Amino acid sequence: MNAALAHRGPDEGSVDGFGRCVLGNRRLQVIDLVTGSQPVANEDGTIVSVFNGEVYNFPELRAELAASGHDVRGTGDTPVIPHLYEEHGPGFVRRLSGMFALALWDVRRERLVLARDRVGKKPLLWTRLPDGALAFASELKALLALPGVRREVDPAMLDAYLALQYVPGPRTALKGIEKLPPGHLLVAENGQVHVERYWQLDARPEEPSLADVREAVIAAVRRRLIADVPLGALLSGGIDSSIVVSVMAQAQSGPVKTFTVGFGDPRYDERVWARDVAERFGTEHEELVVEPDPVDTLPRLAGAYDEPLGDDAALPLFLICESARRHVTVALTGDGGDEAFAGYERYAAHELAGRVPRLPGLGSTGRALRALGRGEPRSRANRAGRLLEAAAAPSAERYARLMEVFPASLRAELWDPEFVRPAALRLQPSRPGIGGLQELDVETYLPDDLLLKADIASMAHSLELRSPFLDCEVLELGISLREQPSLRGKAALRLAFEDDLPPQVAARRKTGFGVPLARWFREDLDGFARDLLLHGTARGRGQLRPAAVERLLTDHASGRADHGHRLWCLLMLELWQRTWVEAPSSAAAPVAAG
């Protein structure tokens, strides 16, 4: 298990036994390079812990613990964990501000505590073995190293994957293996396992000002600049990452190292915008033009992602992280800005759809518009069609219609009914308004898609990513703007930082980060996809109907429709099954070193 995660921490690692508990760790040295080894313990060794991530408020915690008489070793963040547990018990996790997955063993009580950070920046999975033992790890591939772990796919979760492009937690694509949800802790004691929530995103009672927003974002960036290794930023040219770079440039004495990925296709190339920001702040800027051979790159991607993920932005992110790791060990990103400040177009679309009268034929008109746009995701016809289809749906299903990749009708055509019958996709916010959608995304799409994508893509190359917009204070301020419509859709960020950014960047609309899938599946990936998806291996599982898959491939290749994203999801599912379900554990595709 430890060896399977060496990429997460190539600098150090150990496996240590403490009676009934064995703790393994891999360490990427970022802070306290000399004395920051793990596991860490309290003074008498009765509480031990291993930890993945960063605790940003560790200086305050160290001072507080020292004042209470604790002897906290080293100078970094990890050693505060066992001492903080001594003071507060399992509730100590509420005192940690940062991104983390941790395990703590209380020797005297024979109590195991697992905890995951508030928004799920760091992954943590667990399972019960046949003999009753509890096993846990940061990635599925480590659990699959255990001979007692079954590799049995969960049909319901594969159906959910095709609907959403990710597997929604707390379940995984394999039966019996679960994700510890963000903002939760697990306590195993006396043969019992108890999972409880310790944090939930809530709006503040008072209305924040633009000055509050600016101050919180600046503070969040500055907290994430603590490192004893080279540090940089992933710069997309969008407003979120540009703000992060602007704050870094003003906080650091030397130039910021920035990294941007681009494509030959101008619709997917943001280099010109990133270049403007880099020039404005005098960064040491590096561009990576992605013209990969997808046939060669996809197996590497499948070797890193041990659970199916259909988010095509994983590929350029994987490659830019590989490039950035040659220069830095830590990189800041703009992840979370859309959730915090309601930047997604679908938020406005959801509100608009709710005001459209549900007239007869509305759904069929939407489908006709999407057919007119040939399914091209960024075309006006396709976006208008999705809006009308959402307006035609019952209110409880409306947001799901805006999110889904494969609608239920198409999933019913694809799946063999003996394998799974598609379930209705429900993504229901707990309260009305855009704030409810933001909270829903923070609970679902953010941890199960965006943050999983970022963690695996970066840690595959031993690169740590930090996301200031996922600071809890920033998130709370962002969703508290719900009563000020004029400050939604990134308006608050634009106004708070308009003097810092190049005007053309501050005024940009969100475009998203993707790859030219339509062209790839008509050129580079056409033969490769057909060979994999229609091969006897895929047919023999009895999962997908070959005729339905072939129809998608043919319609896309002919130009009658744009199924690029859907074909990508099917291809990543097929590669995942071959790599992680059907291949021996030793045969999993290797990830090349960064």
Side-chain angles (χ1 to χ4, degrees):
M1 292 175 71
N2 191 279
L5 298 184
H7 54 280
R8 297 189 72 89
D11 299 323
E12 285 185 289
S14 70
V15 177
D16 302 276
F18 304 92
R20 296 175 58 213
C21 180
V22 177
L23 298 177
N25 77 91
R26 300 299 319 182
R27 185 183 177 216
L28 177 66
Q29 293 178 333
V30 174
I31 295 174
D32 192 10
L33 305 185
V34 177
T35 59
S37 300
Q38 299 187 36
V40 291
N42 61 342
E43 291 88 345
D44 62 6
T46 56
I47 299 167
V48 292
S49 181
V50 291
F51 167 77
N52 172 222
E54 302 289 345
V55 173
Y56 301 122
N57 64 332
F58 78 89
E60 299 93 322
L61 294 176
R62 290 186 68 97
E64 174 188 311
L65 290 166
S68 298
H70 290 271
D71 181 14
V72 184
R73 81 179 197 199
T75 60
D77 55 351
T78 312
V80 307
I81 293 170
H83 301 282
L84 205 61
Y85 172 84
E86 283 187 287
E87 291 288 325
H88 303 284
F92 81 97
V93 68
R94 296 183 179 89
R95 301 295 312 284
L96 303 177
S97 173
M99 56 176 187
F100 54 84
L102 64 87
L104 180 144
W105 177 244
D106 184 329
V107 176
R108 290 176 178 150
R109 291 182 176 87
E110 292 198 326
R111 172 194 287 168
L112 175 70
V113 178
L114 305 180
R116 191 175 178 199
D117 67 71
R118 289 164 176 78
V119 297
K121 274 285 293 176
K122 289 300 174 183
L124 184 52
L125 301 96
W126 67 281
T127 189
R128 282 284 199 180
L129 300 178
D131 64 359
L134 188 149
F136 59 90
S138 292
E139 296 183 26
L140 188 64
K141 55 179 63 72
L143 293 176
L144 294 180
L146 291 168
V149 173
R150 294 186 304 157
R151 303 186 184 208
E152 182 180 355
V153 299
D154 187 331
M157 289 297 97
L158 296 195
D159 180 53
Y161 161 74
L162 285 193
L164 292 167
Q165 80 176 4
Y166 63 85
V167 178
R171 290 159 69 178
T172 69
L174 294 180
K175 289 183 177 180
I177 300 177
E178 295 194 29
K179 304 162 188 165
L180 183 64
H184 283 67
L185 59 85
L186 177 154
V187 178
E189 188 176 16
N190 299 323
Q192 302 295 314
V193 173
H194 178 65
V195 176
E196 65 180 61
R197 181 190 289 272
Y198 70 85
W199 179 83
Q200 185 166 344
L201 178 61
D202 290 312
R204 297 185 175 190
E206 71 279 2
E207 289 290 328
S209 67
L210 291 180
D212 293 332
V213 169
R214 181 179 175 86
E215 181 181 339
V217 171
I218 290 174
V221 174
R222 289 178 175 268
R223 277 194 290 272
R224 285 156 179 79
L225 296 180
I226 299 175
D228 297 327
V229 292
L231 181 147
L234 303 188
L235 177 60
S236 70
I239 187 171
D240 302 329
S241 62
S242 299
I243 287 173
V244 170
V245 169
S246 74
V247 177
M248 292 176 70
Q250 295 172 59
Q252 294 184 189
S253 56
V256 179
K257 294 181 173 65
T258 54
F259 306 89
T260 296
V261 65
F263 293 90
D265 188 332
R267 294 178 302 169
Y268 298 89
D269 195 356
E270 298 188 312
R271 284 176 295 161
V272 62
W273 310 103
R275 218 172 283 146
D276 287 342
V277 176
E279 290 174 0
R280 171 73 172 261
F281 297 105
T283 73
E284 292 181 9
H285 191 56
E286 179 160 320
E287 296 180 352
L288 173 67
V289 180
V290 177
E291 290 293 351
D293 180 347
V295 175
D296 289 338
T297 309
L298 277 172
R300 295 182 61 212
L301 206 62
Y305 286 90
D306 47 26
E307 190 169 33
L309 181 68
D311 189 333
D312 54 288
L315 187 145
L317 182 60
F318 181 82
L319 295 176
I320 196 62
C321 286
E322 181 176 41
S323 177
R325 184 61 177 92
R326 301 187 184 106
H327 306 275
V328 298
T329 306
V330 177
L332 273 64
T333 78
D335 288 349
D338 290 308
E339 287 78 11
F341 294 99
Y344 290 122
E345 183 182 79
R346 61 178 179 264
Y347 293 159
H350 185 270
E351 284 206 328
L352 181 58
R355 295 197 293 268
V356 174
R358 294 182 65 189
L359 300 174
L362 193 63
S364 58
T365 302
R367 288 189 290 275
L369 277 172
R370 293 184 69 177
L372 183 66
R374 296 182 177 179
E376 203 287 311
R378 301 189 182 195
S379 71
R380 290 184 178 179
N382 186 67
R383 286 153 63 191
R386 288 181 75 93
L387 173 63
L388 293 184
E389 286 184 292
S395 59
E397 300 175 16
R398 191 167 291 142
Y399 195 57
R401 294 291 174 88
L402 293 170
M403 292 290 288
E404 66 188 1
V405 178
F406 285 86
S409 59
L410 183 51
R411 299 195 324 267
E413 293 177 20
L414 279 166
W415 291 123
D416 186 316
E418 296 298 315
F419 177 69
V420 67
R421 294 184 182 275
L425 178 61
R426 292 186 180 273
L427 291 172
Q428 184 69 11
S430 59
R431 61 183 178 85
I434 286 179
L437 299 179
Q438 290 173 269
E439 292 171 7
L440 178 63
D441 274 350
V442 169
E443 293 257 340
T444 56
Y445 177 64
L446 182 68
D448 293 331
D449 184 324
L450 298 186
L451 297 184
L452 172 70
K453 173 183 66 181
D455 178 82
I456 299 296
S458 58
M459 295 309 294
H461 307 294
S462 308
L463 176 72
E464 179 179 285
L465 296 185
R466 299 177 179 177
S467 307
F469 288 107
L470 294 177
D471 188 282
C472 293
E473 183 178 354
V474 174
L475 283 171
E476 289 169 359
L477 283 173
I479 68 164
S480 300
L481 294 167
R482 67 191 185 282
E483 301 302 330
Q484 300 184 43
S486 62
L487 297 183
R488 294 177 184 154
K490 297 292 184 68
L493 279 182
R494 296 178 200 279
L495 292 171
F497 288 92
E498 62 182 345
D499 294 336
D500 300 76
L501 303 177
Q504 62 273 28
V505 171
R508 278 190 74 202
R509 289 182 57 194
K510 180 177 176 60
T511 58
F513 187 36
V515 296
L517 293 178
R519 176 173 63 82
W520 281 6
F521 278 101
R522 291 187 182 114
E523 299 173 7
D524 311 66
L525 283 176
D526 182 34
F528 179 72
R530 285 180 177 274
D531 288 346
L532 280 178
L533 297 177
L534 301 177
H535 190 272
T537 300
R539 292 171 180 265
R541 294 191 196 101
Q543 297 176 357
L544 295 166
R545 290 167 164 160
V549 174
E550 188 166 16
R551 187 163 56 249
L552 286 179
L553 287 161
T554 301
D555 286 350
H556 182 85
S558 69
R560 287 194 295 270
D562 182 350
H563 291 307
H565 188 192
R566 291 168 178 163
L567 292 173
W568 180 268
C569 290
L570 290 176
L571 196 55
M572 295 311 297
L573 176 61
E574 175 65 25
L575 287 168
W576 171 74
Q577 294 202 85
R578 292 185 180 214
T579 305
W580 293 108
V581 180
E582 295 160 352
S585 58
S586 60
V591 179

